[in-house]
Amino acid sequence: MDISTPIALDRDAPAARSRIMLWIPVGLAILYPWALKAFHAAITAGSTAGTAEAGLWLVAAFALPLSGLALTLRAEATTPARRLGFAALAAPPLFVLTGVVAGLLHSPIRDVWIWPAAWILAGVAASLVQPDAAPAPARPVGRLRVVHGVAGALILLFVAFHLSNHLTGLLGPEAHGRVMKAGRVVYRSAVVEPLLVGLLLFQVACGLRLAWRWSARPADLVRTIQVGSGVYLAAFILTHLNSALVSARAVHGIQTDWAWASGAPEGLLLDAWNIRLVPHYALGVFFVVAHLFCGLRGVLLAHGTPPAVAQRVWWTGLVLAAALSATIIAALCGLRLG
């Protein structure tokens, strides 16, 4: 009896699963803009059923990129699949970037069609990479991590102010504007602003290099969130710099104030374009805090803190990140105190 065919099929099964898994994050990313489009159609229907449906579509818009992160945890995920999963997690800022760049270039092709074409090309390119037969060995990144951490500590001064400034939006655009005006005396000065932009770009390059190394092998939940949040923040920083410095300030001469951030006068929720900013902002705030607490956990463990304590600090940080993200998004969508 010839049993060679079943054996061949058994051997091909893992390869087939790997190929399928490679295209799952591509599919998640391609579906992301259509979830936002469905949300807008439902929310503007003006009915109770439409509002409930809109809520489900908004949940789906968050779930799609987060599913990309979840895929990187699968044991059978190859290195190309993990990297595509991390890229799919960054779909919200990348989709904003696609829209802004398309507008700046006056592209005759809409961003919703540029988007799937780019992801299909990414999937094809990744499928041409030969998967590793075994996980790649960990490469030393000690010095790079130290540099990344030092740069992050300097950037943290600006991030802390920036997020605190956004919280003042709960008191109204005027309160936000007063705090922002005072802060800009420092961070928009002729000396500080170019240094800050340079530091942010350096952090993006450094962080992506670390993410590329760490994504070459499977990781636990903490490391996966640390790498994933780093990839998201790299995309977020590049997108935000392009939107604020290039599109708003240099090209269109728009003040990057509360009205700009909140999509006034239409708002973030009711405008077909602005809705993409909700996951973009919300996950951006969450991941910047989560990334900091991932780093803090590593520092605590390195200094002899019991693992259980370090883990509790990390979980507390994730809860704080979610609470801060929800509060800032609520303020941008119109919530006011008093």
Side-chain angles (χ1 to χ4, degrees), residues 208-227:
L208 287 177
R209 186 174 180 185
L210 282 169
W212 186 264
R213 291 187 181 185
W214 283 116
S215 62
R217 62 199 314 270
D220 60 13
L221 177 63
V222 177
R223 178 70 69 192
T224 297
I225 291 178
Q226 186 172 22
V227 174

Side-chain angles (χ1 to χ4, degrees), residues 128-145:
L128 296 177
V129 177
Q130 186 66 31
D132 298 327
R139 298 173 62 186
V141 293
R143 184 177 299 175
L144 192 60
R145 290 179 67 184

Side-chain angles (χ1 to χ4, degrees), residues 180-205:
M180 183 177 62
K181 184 178 180 180
R184 282 180 173 177
V185 172
V186 178
Y187 68 78
R188 277 205 182 177
S189 69
V191 175
V192 175
E193 185 172 42
L195 289 175
L196 178 60
V197 172
L199 193 61
L200 287 168
L201 292 175
F202 170 80
Q203 192 72 340
V204 167

Side-chain angles (χ1 to χ4, degrees), residues 45-190:
S47 64
T48 303
T51 302
E53 182 185 349
L56 293 176
W57 281 116
L58 190 58
V59 170
F62 279 88
L64 287 169
L66 291 174
S67 296
L69 180 66
L71 282 172
T72 66
L73 286 165
R74 297 293 297 267
E76 64 269 30
T78 61
T79 296
R82 277 193 299 275
R83 287 171 176 162
L84 278 176
F86 286 127
L89 173 65
L94 292 176
F95 186 49
V96 173
L97 182 64
T98 303
V100 174
V101 171
L104 289 172
L105 298 178
H106 305 288
S107 171
I109 305 173
R110 294 180 59 202
D111 56 359
V112 291
W113 302 119
I114 297 172
W115 180 256
W119 276 98
I120 290 171
L121 287 174
V124 171
S127 67
L128 296 177
V129 177
Q130 186 66 31
D132 298 327
R139 298 173 62 186
V141 293
R143 184 177 299 175
L144 192 60
R145 290 179 67 184
V146 170
V147 172
H148 188 69
V150 172
L154 295 174
I155 293 172
L156 179 59
L157 298 174
F158 170 74
V159 170
F161 171 81
H162 200 58
L163 295 181
S164 300
N165 190 193
H166 274 64
L167 285 174
T168 62
L170 290 167
L171 303 176
E174 297 80 10
H176 174 270
R178 287 193 296 270
V179 175
M180 183 177 62
K181 184 178 180 180
R184 282 180 173 177
V185 172
V186 178
Y187 68 78
R188 277 205 182 177
S189 69

Side-chain angles (χ1 to χ4, degrees), residues 306-335:
V309 174
Q311 196 71 3
R312 281 196 296 270
V313 170
W314 180 72
W315 279 112
T316 301
L318 296 190
V319 172
L320 290 174
L324 181 62
S325 172
T327 304
I328 289 177
I329 283 297
L332 286 168
C333 290
L335 178 65

